[in-house]
Amino acid sequence: MSDSFTKLTYQTLQQSKNLFALAHKNVSSSLWGLIYPNQSQVKPAPPETLLKMQQKYNELMETDWQDAEEGIYSVDVLFDNPWGDFLRYYPMVCLDLPSIWERARQKKYQDFAPEISTEGYPSYYTQNFHHQTDGYLSDLSANLYDLQVEILFGGAADAMRRRILAPLRKMVNKWQILGESCRQVRILDVACGTGRTLKLIRQSLSQPSLYGVDLSPAYLRKANELLSQIPGELPQLLQANGEELPFLDDYFHAVTCVFLFHELPPSARQRVIEQAFRVTKPGGTFIICDSIQMDDSPEFEPLMENFQKVYHEPYYRHYSTDNLVKRLENAGFQQIEIQVHFASKYLVAQKPSE
């Protein structure tokens, strides 16, 4: 298969996913309007804003393809879509919509099944982020999460996650130059969720030791199920809070954190950064992937305003204007590089060498 044909196939796949997600959101919004008239909180975004967002989407797809061409990960990774999960869980996503709508209408933000215990979790965590059933504390939530996120981001969730792979590969090359073998390199993913990011890291870097922590036992079960399908050494998964990482100082060559910070209150945000600094080796790398912020893309302010209202993101407003660079510097990180791709922002920070 020629490169041009493979690229066209990839572009067609991504555009199809994007159109499907758009159709799903349009239908669900129309049904919401019929069932709950006069309840909409959404302010229509100007057409030029939507066109700009589509342009950013297309640029992300081009960057994703270029990284694969350059060998940061295999082109096969671009076509690694969980079709079985889609066929199995999409009907459940649709059947769950009435519960989500009713929860949103009643502003029930801490609605959990009776058998779910919320004891021992931080108060900010025991919420129905995105109005999703059982928050992050049930197997149902874990099974539906990845598909819900793919729909939310128009099929671009994995492409956004993959933007952390180039700096990770650069980090591994640096440590090899300093005399460490690839197998000696340790990478921790904080708030690893269902394991999607760890899977992508493993597909790009086959030898480093991978670790993941998350607060949700249900999501860790899902991560173990996903990662067990990959040949080779399994990542080590632990139930833990990113504010109190159960690892030695200076242990990891790199720490990653994907789509967590916008769901943390400011004080927790700082503690996670400080813990990441503590467990990162001198000379190591900390990579944050999260939502764009106002300073990065002020033209997308209407979309960011809608996001926090529609999806119940109680800490997003503060996050959207928070100075993450200053937080990283206050913890001790230096040489902070910023990138923006589509709806996501990346901060690549270095812990000073001794």
Side-chain angles (χ1 to χ4, degrees):
M1 186 181 295
S2 68
D3 285 348
S4 58
F5 183 76
T6 305
K7 182 177 182 179
L8 178 61
T9 304
Y10 168 65
Q11 291 172 332
T12 302
L13 171 65
Q14 288 301 129
Q15 291 300 329
S16 299
K17 290 165 67 175
N18 187 238
L19 290 171
F20 177 84
L22 181 62
H24 173 93
K25 287 185 279 192
N26 284 340
V27 170
S28 60
S29 295
S30 297
L31 289 172
W32 163 270
L34 287 172
I35 298 170
Y36 302 111
N38 304 317
Q39 291 284 320
S40 178
Q41 298 175 294
V42 176
K43 296 179 181 178
E48 58 270 22
T49 299
L50 298 178
L51 286 173
K52 184 70 172 178
M53 183 59 80
Q54 185 62 48
Q55 177 188 337
K56 294 292 185 181
Y57 180 93
N58 294 337
E59 290 172 358
L60 169 65
M61 296 307 118
E62 182 63 28
T63 300
D64 200 25
W65 171 259
Q66 289 175 359
D67 278 1
E69 271 201 319
E70 292 173 10
I72 294 170
Y73 40 85
S74 168
V75 171
D76 292 342
V77 171
L78 303 179
F79 298 94
D80 181 17
N81 293 281
W83 300 115
D85 282 358
F86 172 81
L87 294 172
R88 181 180 178 185
Y89 295 125
Y90 182 68
M92 297 171 66
V93 167
C94 294
L95 291 171
D96 197 41
L97 282 174
S99 297
I100 291 174
W101 294 338
E102 188 62 18
R103 196 175 295 115
R105 186 182 71 85
Q106 296 185 27
K107 294 181 170 54
K108 296 174 68 176
Y109 301 139
Q110 293 181 300
D111 181 35
F112 295 89
E115 66 272 14
I116 293 177
S117 172
T118 59
E119 185 178 351
Y121 295 103
S123 58
Y124 64 78
Y125 187 75
T126 55
Q127 301 196 53
N128 303 95
F129 292 101
H130 319 147
H131 302 291
Q132 64 193 45
T133 300
D134 297 326
Y136 292 127
L137 294 177
S138 73
D139 291 319
L140 172 66
S141 171
N143 285 330
L144 302 187
Y145 176 79
D146 284 329
L147 180 52
Q148 290 170 327
V149 172
E150 274 293 284
I151 291 171
L152 172 64
F153 288 123
D158 277 350
M160 290 193 293
R161 290 187 183 103
R162 282 193 285 267
R163 303 284 63 73
I164 73 169
L165 299 179
L168 277 178
R169 182 171 284 276
K170 181 179 178 181
M171 175 275 303
V172 171
N173 292 339
K174 180 185 78 172
W175 284 104
Q176 287 182 300
I177 292 172
L178 293 173
E180 300 221 19
S181 72
C182 194
R183 289 188 179 277
Q184 291 176 307
V185 173
R186 293 182 291 271
I187 302 172
L188 169 67
D189 187 35
V190 177
C192 64
T194 63
R196 292 294 297 175
T197 300
L198 284 169
K199 180 182 180 182
L200 293 171
I201 294 173
R202 177 57 80 217
Q203 288 173 324
S204 175
L205 299 165
S206 61
Q207 295 187 6
S209 297
L210 303 185
Y211 297 72
V213 297
D214 199 272
L215 269 172
S216 171
Y219 277 62
L220 288 170
R221 283 192 293 272
K222 185 69 177 178
N224 187 64
E225 176 187 325
L226 175 70
L227 297 169
S228 295
Q229 301 169 13
I230 305 174
E233 182 182 346
L234 283 174
Q236 300 182 46
L237 305 177
L238 290 173
Q239 184 181 6
N241 189 334
E243 297 179 73
E244 300 178 73
L245 293 174
F247 300 105
L248 297 173
D249 296 356
D250 306 334
Y251 190 68
F252 293 101
H253 299 75
V255 176
T256 62
C257 191
V258 177
F259 299 147
L260 170 67
F261 276 66
H262 72 280
E263 292 187 347
L264 295 176
S267 58
R269 233 173 273 151
Q270 188 64 42
R271 284 194 291 271
V272 170
I273 290 173
E274 290 167 355
Q275 283 290 292
F277 184 84
R278 180 183 65 80
V279 302
T280 300
K281 293 173 67 71
T285 305
F286 179 39
I287 305 172
I288 297 172
C289 162
D290 217 293
S291 165
I292 52 175
Q293 295 181 290
M294 292 293 185
D295 286 348
D296 308 310
S297 306
E299 68 272 28
F300 296 142
E301 181 176 354
L303 300 178
M304 287 186 260
E305 287 290 337
N306 286 341
F307 177 71
Q308 66 181 338
K309 292 176 181 177
V310 174
Y311 292 99
H312 178 56
E313 292 285 358
Y315 310 110
Y316 187 82
R317 182 183 293 276
H318 186 279
Y319 166 84
S320 67
T321 59
D322 196 10
N323 190 335
L324 296 179
V325 170
K326 184 176 180 181
R327 289 189 181 279
L328 288 163
E329 290 175 340
N330 287 344
F333 286 107
Q334 298 178 357
Q335 302 176 49
I336 301 163
E337 175 190 349
I338 297 175
Q339 300 178 19
V340 175
H341 298 281
F342 183 44
S344 54
K345 176 175 186 169
Y346 306 80
L347 297 100
V348 183
Q350 309 299 324
K351 183 170 179 176
S353 301
E354 291 180 337

